[in-house]
Amino acid sequence: MSPTSDLDDPTKTCVYLPKPSSPSNNTRSIQVRAPKRRLNHGYDVQLEAYEVAWSRCLKRVQAVVRELQAPIVSAVKTSIDDAYSKDVLTGLPYTELPVVAVSAPGGSRSVISDVVALLEPRRTREGLQRGEESTQGKGKARMVEEDDEPTQTHSLVAHIRPGDCSNISNAMRAIILGFVDRHGEEEDGLVVQLPVATKRRPATSLAMFDIVLLKTWYRALSQLNPQPPQLVVVLHNFEQLDPSVMQDVFYICSKNIPHLPLVFLLDSSAPSTMTNLHAAYSRATIALLRVSVHTTPSGLDLANSVIEKVFFDPDFEPDVVLGFAALDFMAEFSSRHTASLDAILTMLQIIHIRHFESPLTSFVRGFDSEAALQETATRIRQTSSFSLIDSLLTRLWGESAPDGLSKELPEYLKGIPWSDLSLEALLSLLNSARNDFCKRAAHLRLGYQLVRVVQRFMRAQGYKTSPSVNGQEDSELTFMSRTMRGRVGRDVKHLALMVRKLHDNQLNALLGEMYSLFFRLQNTEVRQSETGAREFLVQARANITPQNATLPEDIHEAKKASAMGPSVSEWFLSYVEDRLTTLDQQPLWEIWSTGVTTFPSELINPAPRITMVNALLHPSDVVKAHRTLYASSELWELPDTSILFKRYMEAGRLINVYDLYESFAVVLETQKEKRAVPATPKRSEKGKKKIAEEDEEPQIDDEEKWTLEVHARFMRALHELDYMGFVKHTGRKPDHIFKTVYDVPD
């Protein structure tokens, strides 16, 4: 399927890369600037390359976030499992209702889904095929898998959302039915056995909102399971729930524990859940609860960790390397506005979209096989313009020797006969350039990580790792940007000087952390290339004899600078300076790096008022790419909301709604006339008279229908203006409205 088909999917975020045939200078979308230098079907190729690169980046970000949140997920699971343990606050006059609050102020809501996945373990497909399910047909009790640990705590989960809690009856019904009505094929994989589904007779059954129904169901559940599961109620978007309803829910549930082991899991986005609870709920309600709060990583620490583990991890090779311009903007935006995960993901996606506007990004992935290389060569031969080939040649040759200065050529460019270079050979050189760039980028990431290891160690020892005069260290994002610029030489020399002054015990510990960095490398190629570094670190540790300063007279001797300090310092300085080289010196580096491309800040920091007003006044500019919809900008051709807004802007401060309707209806009459169906061929007088008599009554009905249609369209347009804040009601004259916008931004 072509990636352009995703633009028609209403469930996906719209990413608009306009085709060369319909350029637009006024839209805020990301434009393809060089339409002539493109492969055959290059538009689709660029979209495919973007999708692959962004998908890899997104999956890596999600994996990093899950890794950072793993301790929180484990802690939440433990809190739920231990909610009714015998060691929890014994001797209280009554049992408190367990409430576990998960606060995610950074925008990451995946913790709840990870916790639910742990709370409701399911059998594997192979386990189901071994016959845990009863053979007596649908509705029979499921049998517990033999491999399950009998002592493991399991739970059943019910999900409650704000729409389910309009009143106390609906809230209790949603909670009870969330457990009682669990049946069907979607529950076949549950480890927990469920009671047999039976038909209820309304005359003899308990009400759906009666908690006794849940107690009866749980009693049957307990008879089927040696260790009955806990009942976990997940309250999504907890701040949006009505406190007057939820305090009654908490009260009812607290009166039925621990016989009914309910645990409430709060999905909160507030920075402080306890502050929100104390502000919204009475003291009597909070006294019924035993609240444990868990906060997910957020803020600058989360942003720094995500960017570092995605783009500066030696074991991961991103398709696109972030340049210093993108890192500078992200550092400024995260420190001045917000460092939420949603903001980071949005910026990363926009950076990828902006990068893939260049036709050269069609070669981001390189060629994994000879067949892929030949396919690309065929596409280039079918291209109407060979400007793309000229661009590749210019960059390969010109960047290898800029401004005519002598510069050592890369190994793969030496001895190349440029005059009779074939297309396949050119693409092979491009693949070699990519491999060389990836190798140098891997070295840069490893050098950066070694510097970070030394920085963290020195900070733990109480040293200042910044050589700046004011003593304020840069943020991690800023340091990443300076690394990409090649401006961390002063920092590295400062760290090397501090390494020289370490005593034996400190130096031995630092060498151990350095060795751990190289020992944990998972990339086989990078690991093999660093054999010399590992051997040096092992030899240096062997030459150090850690001293134990146990006696007072030995303390001064133990704190002398180590004899191995100068050697380790020189090695560290030489190693890092060799690795931390800028990537913009490599041929065709702009294909695999965003480089100096500025971030389109207007895409995430728009001017909504000016944009909205201009869109209403000039809708054809907004949808200029779809010229078939709006061929001109006459008033009668505009959408209803824009027609009404035009009349709205022409009126005074106080507008009579009826007058506004009349002016709107005049335009619609013109629109009706312009779009009228052409007249039918002439008929005889007798035929005309007969048709007129037959159509006399329907014509009256058509007029009434048209009036109703004008009324409906006017009300819809007026409500849209009201919703957008352009209408203010007077309160004294029901047939008049106030304007909220007076200037005309034409």
Side-chain angles (χ1 to χ4, degrees):
M1 179 184 294
S2 174
T4 56
S5 61
D6 291 341
L7 299 177
D8 299 327
D9 191 345
T11 63
K12 295 188 177 182
T13 303
C14 180
V15 177
Y16 176 47
L17 288 170
K19 286 189 175 182
S21 58
S22 59
S24 175
N25 297 326
N26 297 326
T27 57
R28 290 180 177 268
S29 57
I30 297 175
Q31 302 290 330
V32 180
R33 297 177 178 174
K36 294 183 179 180
R37 294 181 294 128
R38 181 175 283 107
L39 291 174
N40 190 31
H41 303 294
Y43 179 75
D44 291 336
V45 173
Q46 288 172 238
L47 279 179
E48 290 175 3
Y50 156 75
E51 286 190 343
V52 172
W54 171 239
S55 297
R56 290 191 70 240
C57 178
L58 180 60
K59 289 179 181 178
R60 177 66 176 180
V61 171
Q62 292 173 340
V64 169
V65 172
R66 290 184 183 276
E67 179 184 352
L68 295 174
Q69 293 177 347
I72 303 298
V73 173
S74 178
V76 173
K77 175 67 164 55
T78 303
S79 298
I80 294 176
D81 291 342
D82 298 339
Y84 289 96
S85 64
K86 297 180 180 179
D87 300 331
V88 176
L89 295 177
T90 58
L92 292 176
Y94 56 87
T95 305
E96 295 177 326
L97 180 63
V99 174
V100 181
V102 178
S103 178
S108 176
R109 315 305 290 269
S110 61
V111 176
I112 297 296
S113 60
D114 292 343
V115 171
V116 170
L118 293 177
L119 291 176
E120 285 193 334
R122 294 178 180 267
R123 303 183 183 95
T124 60
R125 185 177 298 275
E126 293 78 8
L128 287 174
Q129 293 175 352
R130 288 199 302 266
E132 304 88 52
E133 197 171 12
S134 174
T135 59
Q136 299 301 320
K138 188 174 180 181
K140 298 296 182 180
R142 287 120 176 114
M143 306 201 48
V144 180
E145 188 177 1
E146 296 178 357
D147 298 336
D148 289 339
E149 300 180 7
T151 58
Q152 184 179 0
T153 303
H154 298 315
S155 303
L156 293 177
V157 181
H159 298 271
I160 308 300
R161 292 172 173 81
D164 303 326
C165 302
S166 57
N167 53 56
I168 181 61
S169 299
N170 291 338
M172 292 304 301
R173 181 185 293 107
I175 293 174
I176 294 170
L177 295 184
F179 296 109
V180 175
D181 278 2
R182 299 185 66 129
H183 56 80
E185 296 180 357
E186 69 275 6
E187 306 296 346
D188 288 344
L190 278 176
V191 173
V192 178
Q193 299 181 57
L194 297 178
V196 177
T198 59
K199 263 191 174 182
R200 302 191 192 94
R201 291 191 301 173
T204 59
S205 298
L206 294 168
M208 296 298 182
F209 53 81
D210 192 346
I211 199 170
V212 178
L213 174 61
L214 183 59
K215 293 174 66 176
T216 305
W217 177 84
Y218 187 76
R219 192 180 302 115
L221 182 71
S222 302
Q223 295 174 357
L224 296 175
N225 296 273
Q227 185 179 5
Q230 292 179 341
L231 305 181
V232 180
V233 181
V234 181
L235 301 180
H236 294 274
N237 300 320
F238 178 67
E239 287 80 13
Q240 299 181 18
L241 296 173
D242 188 354
S244 62
V245 173
M246 292 310 303
Q247 66 182 6
D248 293 338
V249 171
F250 290 146
Y251 177 79
I252 294 172
C253 294
S254 65
K255 295 301 180 182
N256 294 274
I257 57 172
H259 304 292
L260 193 60
L262 288 165
V263 181
F264 283 84
L265 179 60
L266 311 185
D267 179 13
S268 174
S269 59
S272 176
T273 305
M274 288 304 302
T275 301
N276 181 67
L277 281 173
H278 284 286
Y281 293 86
S282 64
R283 190 166 184 173
T285 301
I286 296 177
L288 302 173
L289 312 178
R290 185 177 74 249
V291 184
S292 59
V293 181
H294 303 272
T295 304
T296 62
S298 60
L300 281 174
D301 293 337
L302 177 64
N304 294 333
S305 299
V306 168
I307 299 301
E308 180 175 338
K309 291 180 179 295
V310 174
F311 296 97
F312 290 87
D313 190 342
D315 292 323
F316 180 72
E317 182 179 305
D319 289 341
V320 178
V321 178
L322 290 186
F324 61 84
L327 289 170
D328 284 342
F329 179 83
M330 297 181 71
E332 181 182 6
F333 189 89
S334 300
S335 59
R336 295 183 60 183
H337 301 286
T338 176
S340 66
L341 181 62
D342 291 341
I344 295 297
L345 284 174
T346 300
M347 287 187 284
L348 288 178
Q349 187 173 18
I350 292 176
I351 289 171
H352 278 74
I353 298 173
R354 180 65 176 268
H355 178 71
F356 281 91
E357 68 179 357
S358 171
L360 289 176
T361 54
S362 304
F363 307 112
V364 161
R365 296 289 296 173
F367 312 105
D368 299 331
S369 61
E370 185 67 24
L373 190 146
Q374 292 295 337
E375 180 182 357
T376 305
T378 303
R379 283 184 175 181
I380 293 180
R381 289 191 179 96
Q382 294 175 354
T383 305
S384 58
S385 174
F386 287 90
S387 299
L388 184 64
I389 302 176
D390 295 338
S391 179
L392 289 176
L393 287 171
T394 301
R395 281 167 168 76
L396 275 173
W397 180 254
E399 293 183 2
S400 301
D403 302 327
L405 300 177
S406 60
K407 182 179 180 180
E408 185 178 358
L409 291 174
E411 292 295 331
Y412 58 87
L413 290 179
K414 292 181 178 179
I416 297 297
W418 297 97
S419 57
D420 55 348
L421 189 66
S422 65
L423 185 56
E424 287 77 6
L426 175 61
L427 295 180
S428 179
L429 290 178
L430 188 147
N431 218 30
S432 300
R434 180 183 182 275
N435 295 335
D436 186 62
F437 178 89
C438 293
K439 179 180 178 181
R440 292 183 180 272
H443 286 167
L444 183 142
R445 290 191 289 267
L446 190 56
Y448 170 86
Q449 289 296 334
L450 185 62
V451 172
R452 296 293 296 156
V453 166
V454 178
Q455 282 183 336
R456 285 191 288 265
F457 179 83
M458 292 301 177
R459 288 170 185 163
Q461 300 297 319
Y463 295 99
K464 291 183 178 180
T465 60
S466 174
S468 59
V469 179
N470 56 12
Q472 295 182 356
E473 298 186 9
D474 292 333
S475 66
E476 294 183 23
L477 283 173
T478 303
F479 187 78
M480 295 176 200
S481 173
R482 292 201 293 117
T483 301
M484 300 304 295
R485 292 176 184 268
R487 297 181 180 178
V488 293
R490 188 181 177 190
D491 300 73
V492 174
K493 292 178 181 178
H494 183 73
L495 290 174
L497 181 62
M498 289 192 292
V499 170
R500 182 184 293 268
K501 298 179 180 179
L502 294 177
H503 57 76
D504 285 337
N505 289 337
Q506 292 176 323
L507 188 59
N508 184 65
L510 176 60
L511 290 174
E513 294 189 14
M514 287 182 174
Y515 181 80
S516 297
L517 171 66
F518 294 101
F519 180 78
R520 293 194 304 266
L521 290 175
Q522 299 177 2
N523 189 313
T524 305
E525 183 178 353
V526 176
R527 183 182 177 86
Q528 292 177 353
S529 65
E530 301 301 329
T531 303
R534 289 197 301 274
E535 291 177 352
F536 172 83
L537 295 175
V538 171
Q539 185 63 35
R541 294 192 72 183
N543 294 336
I544 296 177
T545 303
Q547 302 176 11
N548 297 319
T550 56
L551 300 177
E553 56 268 23
D554 296 332
I555 295 177
H556 181 72
E557 186 70 21
K559 291 194 174 182
K560 284 185 177 180
S562 173
M564 287 297 298
S567 176
V568 175
S569 175
E570 292 176 2
W571 173 85
F572 169 74
L573 183 61
S574 174
Y575 180 90
V576 173
E577 287 182 343
D578 181 60
R579 261 63 176 179
L580 296 186
T581 57
T582 57
L583 300 177
D584 56 0
Q585 301 299 319
Q586 309 304 313
L588 298 172
W589 63 274
E590 68 273 17
I591 298 179
W592 306 285
S593 172
T594 62
V596 298
T597 304
T598 57
F599 185 88
S601 58
E602 66 276 3
L603 296 179
I604 63 172
N605 187 25
R609 179 182 178 276
I610 298 176
T611 303
M612 186 182 300
V613 171
N614 279 283
L616 289 169
L617 289 173
H618 309 288
S620 58
D621 292 339
V622 180
V623 290
K624 196 170 184 179
H626 308 280
R627 297 180 181 275
T628 57
L629 296 179
Y630 301 98
S632 63
S633 57
E634 294 186 23
L635 183 59
W636 64 270
E637 294 178 297
L638 300 180
D640 291 347
T641 307
S642 293
I643 293 173
L644 188 62
F645 187 72
K646 288 271 191 178
R647 296 307 194 201
Y648 165 93
M649 295 300 296
E650 295 170 358
R653 178 173 177 269
L654 188 64
I655 305 175
N656 186 302
V657 177
Y658 182 77
D659 294 340
L660 187 63
Y661 165 74
E662 289 291 333
S663 61
F664 177 78
V666 170
V667 181
L668 292 194
E669 288 290 344
T670 305
Q671 184 183 88
K672 182 181 179 182
E673 295 174 1
K674 295 288 186 180
R675 296 178 178 176
V677 180
T680 57
K682 292 185 178 181
R683 299 175 180 269
S684 62
E685 293 296 331
K686 185 177 180 180
K688 288 183 180 179
K689 184 177 180 181
K690 184 176 180 180
I691 294 175
E693 291 176 355
E694 293 177 353
D695 296 343
E696 183 176 358
E697 190 64 27
Q699 286 179 358
I700 298 176
D701 293 340
D702 291 344
E703 188 66 28
E704 291 178 355
K705 290 180 181 179
W706 171 249
T707 303
L708 291 176
E709 180 182 341
V710 174
H711 287 170
R713 292 169 66 177
F714 173 77
M715 292 303 299
R716 179 183 179 88
L718 185 61
H719 281 308
E720 288 185 356
L721 293 181
D722 190 5
Y723 179 76
M724 289 185 287
F726 291 103
V727 173
K728 180 181 179 183
H729 300 280
T730 62
R732 294 175 298 168
K733 296 182 178 182
D735 57 343
H736 286 69
I737 57 174
F738 279 117
K739 290 174 60 175
T740 59
V741 175
Y742 307 106
D743 53 334
V744 180
D746 282 332

